[in-house]
Amino acid sequence: MIASRRNFLMGAAALSAAVVTPETVRAMAAMQASADWALATADLETDVAPRAMRLVHGRAPAGLTGTLFRNGPAKFRRPGGSATHWFDGDGLMRAFRVNDGQVTLDARFADTPKRRWESQIGAVVSPGFGTAGDARARVGSNDDVNAANTAVMLAGDEVWALWEGGSPMAMSASDLSTRRFVTLRDDLKGMPFQAHPRYDPDGTIWNIGLNGGKAIVWRLNADRSLNAAQLIDLPRASFMHDFTATARHLILVLQPWVFDHRGMPYASQFAWKPELGTQIMVVDKADLSRRRIFDLPAFSYFHLGDAWEDASGTIRFDVAAGKDVAFAIEGARVLVEQRGSVPGEHAVLKLVTLHTDGRAELATSGVTAEFPKSDPRRAGRPRRLTVHVAGERPDRPLPTGLATWDWDSGRSDYFNFGDTQIMEEAVIVPRGPDETDAWLIAPSINLREGVTELHAFDAARVADGPVATWRADVALPAGFHGIWAG
């Protein structure tokens, strides 16, 4: 079935006209909060012009050349009304450019219709994931409220800022200027293109977009042109931020956070029903009508690792698995308020195994983890190593360290900065054939110095700490996802 834009977009974002005006008093209280981690969601008022970062520790890795592009929200509060959820801030594209031991940093906001209108009226009024919005919002399509704030995809001389509910936003890779919303085919304009595409070794890119009990499956060529777009039915209308893939299959994890009613904000439409358990749908890439369903006990999640399957057809993938959705609903609100305790238990790294006889197993590493990543050369292929952020505690809402987990040995290699740093997602830059023969490149927020830093770790010796650290003269809010170009 060929995707129909008209049918799919009907209710895709459920952008209602509900009027819930955020109180200015609440916004001012958030700006005056004094939590020691508040820099993670501090407002950035302007773009960041290119500037050098200073090497403050170690020695720059020889031969490390490339750019770490990262995306994340960076403007939450305006005098006439503010975002009330971490996921709803205006997207800021960052570029950490590494060349011959020198690093420069620049950052620019995605010039979206949402940001332009809210800047003009001095208020955050657009509905979002956890922000109800207000009658002043201009909502003619999904992309009118597109924050372009979640992830990054490379596309020639452009980077695409990805969001959950609408089109990619193309930005210049050289100066981060905004160019346009990407339309892959005229009749598919504005359709959801999610934040976590998956890559085949030949350069083919897979992605999905959600609308209740249906998904559009995107297949792009290596040059980012559209190969195919097809609608598939889902066994349940579940919230899904990520999916994964092997060489032959797409894997959709349907947590029991399911559609319950229309409304705003978007997250309010879903109800947590653990009695339903978690379903996993495996779809044949060669024939999307061929699918299998596996059942597991209930868990929540935002992020999955790359999947792989062995010669027998057994499929494995890792997940940062949670107990419930307390963080998604309330914890991310606390982060924007910049004070208080973040509810919910932190995610734990677990391994899902799908057997050919229909059995499914869930094994735990026992380690707290988020943002699982693996060697990009092994996407869809067997591997043993997962890189992840770590160090979250009940009294700390954000990670303070970086780690690797070896699924073969059951060994964790972990470095913790302590409460003086907020650690962000790492990317893996291979330098040799083994999974551990790689650099892990990740930024952090140095709370003591009040600035952003960039670190290079040796993947084989993470516990030794960074081999090099560069320091900026500015602090950027915590971002979500990035990609290495080089």
Side-chain angles (χ1 to χ4, degrees):
M1 178 179 181
I2 301 300
S4 162
R5 175 175 174 267
R6 177 180 176 83
N7 292 338
F8 196 92
L9 287 181
M10 291 295 290
L15 299 174
S16 72
V19 179
V20 182
T21 305
E23 296 179 356
T24 303
V25 172
R26 179 186 175 104
M28 292 302 294
M31 287 187 278
Q32 295 168 4
S34 58
D36 64 347
W37 42 261
L39 273 177
T41 58
D43 285 321
L44 188 70
E45 299 300 335
T46 62
D47 296 338
V48 176
R51 76 263 325 275
M53 298 183 70
R54 180 168 55 95
L55 183 68
V56 295
H57 168 77
R59 178 178 297 178
L64 180 65
T65 298
T67 301
L68 170 61
F69 292 102
R70 281 185 55 76
N71 196 0
K75 177 64 176 176
F76 305 91
R77 305 164 191 88
R78 297 186 186 277
S82 300
T84 57
H85 197 283
W86 190 23
F87 300 172
D88 295 331
D90 290 340
L92 179 79
M93 188 67 71
R94 299 106 157 135
F96 298 87
R97 305 180 194 272
V98 184
N99 184 32
D100 194 25
Q102 306 297 311
V103 178
T104 61
L105 169 65
D106 57 301
R108 294 182 76 167
F109 283 98
D111 186 22
T112 62
K114 169 189 183 298
R115 178 171 169 80
R116 289 196 298 272
W117 174 238
E118 292 176 343
S119 297
Q120 180 179 333
I121 65 174
V124 176
V125 297
S126 302
F129 182 87
T131 300
D134 152 323
R136 293 170 289 175
R138 290 181 171 178
V139 186
S141 71
N142 292 11
D143 285 334
D144 287 335
V145 296
N146 189 333
N149 69 358
T150 310
V152 189
M153 194 170 127
L154 301 176
D157 66 349
E158 296 178 339
V159 290
W160 291 359
L162 306 183
W163 183 61
E164 291 294 88
S167 307
M169 172 66 86
M171 304 175 74
S172 166
S174 60
D175 67 6
L176 305 184
S177 58
T178 297
R179 293 183 174 176
R180 69 195 180 285
F181 280 122
V182 176
T183 299
L184 293 167
R185 200 172 70 201
D186 287 346
D187 62 320
L188 302 178
K189 184 177 182 179
M191 292 188 70
F193 186 90
Q194 288 197 301
H196 291 285
R198 297 288 171 174
Y199 300 83
D200 284 348
D202 67 358
T204 297
I205 300 167
W206 298 84
N207 203 357
I208 63 169
L210 293 179
N211 176 32
K214 294 184 180 293
I216 180 172
V217 177
W218 299 94
R219 182 177 180 178
L220 275 60
N221 301 311
D223 66 359
R224 280 44 176 175
S225 62
L226 181 66
N227 180 294
Q230 183 174 337
L231 285 179
I232 62 172
D233 292 319
L234 303 176
R236 65 170 62 151
S238 170
F239 174 78
M240 191 188 317
H241 171 73
D242 197 1
F243 76 107
T244 189
T246 70
R248 298 191 299 125
H249 294 99
L250 306 176
I251 300 163
L252 280 64
V253 179
L254 305 168
Q255 61 188 325
W257 195 18
V258 294
F259 177 79
D260 184 70
H261 63 277
R262 292 291 182 192
M264 272 289 136
Y266 179 73
S268 71
Q269 301 180 48
F270 295 87
W272 177 247
K273 298 182 178 181
E275 67 275 11
L276 298 178
T278 293
Q279 290 184 319
I280 300 175
M281 186 168 79
V282 178
V283 181
D284 191 326
K285 286 180 175 178
D287 180 355
L288 300 185
S289 68
R290 297 179 58 186
R291 59 200 66 176
R292 293 173 288 159
I293 303 293
F294 297 81
D295 292 295
L296 280 169
F299 63 84
S300 64
Y301 79 99
F302 276 105
H303 300 113
L304 307 171
D306 284 313
W308 72 96
E309 54 190 298
D310 61 25
S312 73
T314 299
I315 294 172
R316 294 178 174 86
F317 63 92
D318 38 14
V319 54
K323 180 180 178 181
D324 54 34
V325 293
F327 175 81
I329 297 172
E330 293 297 334
R333 293 183 183 276
V334 173
L335 289 184
V336 174
E337 291 175 358
Q338 298 183 315
R339 59 182 176 180
S341 298
V342 175
E345 297 182 11
H346 299 306
V348 173
L349 187 66
K350 297 186 178 183
L351 184 71
V352 176
T353 302
L354 307 178
H355 297 280
T356 55
D357 62 4
R359 291 180 298 116
E361 296 176 346
L362 185 65
T364 183
S365 69
V367 301
T368 298
E370 250 300 354
F371 301 137
K373 303 281 282 188
S374 59
D375 185 337
R377 299 170 302 176
R378 289 171 167 79
R381 297 176 175 178
R383 61 178 173 85
R384 70 179 195 279
L385 207 67
T386 298
V387 178
H388 60 90
V389 296
E392 292 181 272
R393 309 190 309 266
D395 62 330
R396 297 292 297 180
L398 294 162
T400 56
L402 187 67
T404 61
W405 177 263
D406 190 317
W407 289 107
D408 288 349
S409 68
R411 177 177 175 267
S412 176
D413 190 16
Y414 172 39
F415 179 80
N416 193 343
F417 283 104
D419 292 353
T420 61
Q421 298 262 8
I422 294 171
M423 197 70 204
E424 301 188 49
E425 176 196 66
V427 297
I428 301 167
V429 183
R431 63 175 191 268
D434 190 77
E435 289 180 70
T436 59
D437 194 5
W439 301 115
L440 308 181
I441 309 299
S444 71
I445 305 171
N446 186 321
L447 300 175
R448 179 179 295 162
E449 300 294 333
V451 295
T452 289
E453 295 183 338
L454 184 71
H455 310 280
F457 288 79
D458 187 333
R461 292 179 290 275
V462 175
D464 291 347
V467 299
T469 295
W470 295 267
R471 181 174 295 166
D473 60 357
V474 63
L476 303 182
F480 291 146
H481 301 293
I483 197 166
W484 179 260

